[in-house]
Amino acid sequence: MASVKVYGPPLSTAVSRVLACLFEKEVEFQIINVEMAKGQHKTTDYLKIQPFGQVPAFQDGEVTLFESRAICRYVSEKCAKQGNKGLFGLDMITKASIDQWVEAEGQSFNPPSSALVFQLAFAPMMNLKQDPNVIKQSEEKLVKVLDVYERRLGESRFLAGDEFSLADLSHLPNTQYLVDRTDKGGLFTERKNVGRWWDEISSRDSWKKVVDMQTLPPKS
């Protein structure tokens, strides 16, 4: 049995980020289901490995981690010589470039895109009322971020250079929902450079495997 365990459902954007990294690095792993509707993420045992009661939680033997981007960095460094060897760069300068775009994803891209994913994809599935003001403000913020990406991707094939990296991988979960499950996909696909980039990164075998693990009700 694989020593690496990932706690949480593949439908979770944070969990799917970790899964994509594990597939890229060709690491065997075991998915441990966490039934959040039943409060399993708030049990004493679970809080020992994820003190904030969220997903994912990650175990590699005696190592326990949480926060998906930190997990991805750990996996990339520990398994540097297998799978996609350049996923987190092969030299200091490349690593720094990747890191700055991972930070940009976490601080600039993720807040508005996550808000849109929740409002437009998850709220309807959960029979929750959508907030038009949140949707409008989040879209405006995301457009400004994608303006920066459009310029950057006119200069390089991927965000951190000419090779696919964690910088690109980190954007896959939220963008997948927005493109496939909402009416905001055009924010990405109608841009020349961002659209080309999205087509390429979403076509990777690693991400296709993650999408295959996700089970969603039919889009209404």
Side-chain angles (χ1 to χ4, degrees), residues 43-59:
T43 63
T44 301
D45 286 343
Y46 187 76
L47 290 173
K48 290 178 181 178
I49 58 174
Q50 221 301 3
F52 295 100
Q54 300 172 346
V55 293
F58 174 91
Q59 288 184 315

Side-chain angles (χ1 to χ4, degrees), residues 102-199:
V102 172
E103 288 295 320
E105 183 274 325
Q107 296 181 28
S108 299
F109 177 87
N110 187 67
S113 62
S114 287
L116 286 174
V117 168
F118 179 80
Q119 291 290 329
L120 299 175
F122 283 105
M125 288 191 290
M126 300 166 68
N127 293 318
L128 297 176
K129 185 178 180 180
Q130 295 171 313
D131 187 328
N133 289 328
V134 171
I135 294 171
K136 181 177 182 294
Q137 293 171 7
S138 298
E139 181 174 357
E140 291 172 350
K141 291 177 182 178
L142 182 58
V143 165
K144 292 180 180 179
V145 175
L146 293 177
D147 286 343
V148 175
Y149 284 24
E150 181 69 9
R151 291 192 294 273
R152 172 59 179 168
L153 292 166
E155 302 167 350
S156 63
R157 182 178 174 187
F158 298 103
L159 286 172
D162 290 328
E163 299 295 333
F164 176 83
S165 72
L166 283 182
D168 310 290
L169 181 151
S170 199
H171 291 78
L172 283 163
N174 282 0
T175 308
Q176 183 75 50
Y177 274 111
L178 292 176
V179 171
D180 281 2
R181 307 293 299 184
T182 78
D183 62 355
K184 302 301 181 183
L187 296 176
F188 299 86
T189 59
E190 293 174 6
R191 293 171 181 263
K192 177 183 176 181
N193 299 319
V194 170
R196 181 267 308 161
W197 169 74
W198 170 247
D199 284 343

Side-chain angles (χ1 to χ4, degrees), residues 22 24-28 75-76 78-87:
L22 291 168
E24 281 284 337
K25 298 302 293 182
E26 299 176 2
V27 176
E28 293 186 4
V75 171
S76 298
K78 180 183 179 183
C79 305
K81 295 183 179 180
Q82 72 184 65
N84 183 345
K85 297 180 178 63
L87 191 64

